[in-house]
Amino acid sequence: MTNAQKWLAAFLVVFVVLFLIGRATKKEETPSQIPMGMLSETEQSVNENADGKTLTVQLGCISCHGENLEGTKLAPSLEFVKNNWMRDNLINYLRNPSSYAGDKRFEGYRAKYPNVIMPSYNNIDVKDLGKIADYLLSR
Ligand code: HEC
């Protein structure tokens, strides 16, 4: 081997080792309690033709609220949404959940799900939030 080849080989080894270390540490940092689906970029891209139900899947709502939004140990059931919400308030809530923190029901949720935070969906098209609201209110 020439000197140049030796350097090249050394660089390759260093690169591969760094890559492997990067991957190994990344896995360890993944919080086990928070489902990964909602953190991934691809799931944030919303299909224009999706209906409310599909959006709850694409946006990862089901990863906390359960496959049929029946509630899990991470988040409450969304079966009774229509008893508690008007459409406009519900859309506002999805955009900014923390603004409802003082509400009695939400104080209960804070105690029950202390490590999970309902994300704010203020980066999602209001039209899509409307579809989700309609779907939740129609159940
Ligand atoms: C990271 C987990 C998580 C994700 C993802 C999530 N939520 Fe939530 N959600 C919660 C938690 C926890 C609460 C309880 C309220 C609180 O703690 O502030 C909640 C509360 C709610 C409520 C209020 C329930 C009530 O009784 O009024 C609605 C409505 C709701 N979520 C809808 C959604 C929708 C729609 C999506 C997807 C677009 C979604 N959530 C995604 C965790 C999540």
Side-chain angles (χ1 to χ4, degrees):
M1 271 211 265
T2 67
N3 260 348
Q5 281 169 329
K6 277 184 199 156
W7 276 110
L8 192 63
F11 271 122
L12 276 176
V13 169
V14 168
F15 180 80
V16 168
V17 167
L18 285 179
F19 177 76
L20 290 176
I21 290 175
R23 285 192 60 163
T25 49
K26 198 167 163 197
K27 263 209 182 125
E28 279 165 16
E29 279 166 13
T30 305
S32 57
Q33 222 195 8
I34 308 291
M36 281 312 284
M38 60 188 219
L39 298 176
S40 99
E41 281 291 318
T42 51
E43 296 218 356
Q44 291 291 333
S45 63
V46 174
N47 172 0
E48 278 208 353
N49 302 315
D51 61 11
K53 183 174 185 176
T54 310
L55 287 167
T56 62
V57 176
Q58 288 182 339
L59 294 174
C61 314
I62 61 167
S63 59
C64 286
H65 289 283
E67 203 163 341
N68 298 306
L69 306 180
E70 74 280 19
T72 68
K73 62 181 190 326
L74 297 178
S77 161
L78 298 181
E79 282 163 305
F80 308 105
V81 165
K82 65 170 166 297
N83 302 347
N84 295 315
W85 293 100
M86 302 286 284
R87 187 175 190 273
D88 286 353
N89 286 347
L90 181 54
I91 293 173
N92 275 336
Y93 172 75
L94 295 176
R95 292 175 60 102
N96 187 10
S98 56
S99 63
Y100 291 78
D103 195 289
K104 212 159 181 215
R105 189 164 80 261
F106 287 95
E107 280 175 9
Y109 289 154
R110 283 295 81 227
K112 200 164 169 200
Y113 312 102
N115 302 318
V116 189
I117 292 174
M118 165 73 189
S120 49
Y121 290 93
N122 54 7
N123 58 338
I124 303 297
D125 193 334
V126 179
K127 269 204 315 239
D128 288 329
L129 295 180
K131 287 189 204 169
I132 293 175
D134 289 336
Y135 167 62
L136 294 177
L137 292 169
S138 71
R139 282 155 45 88

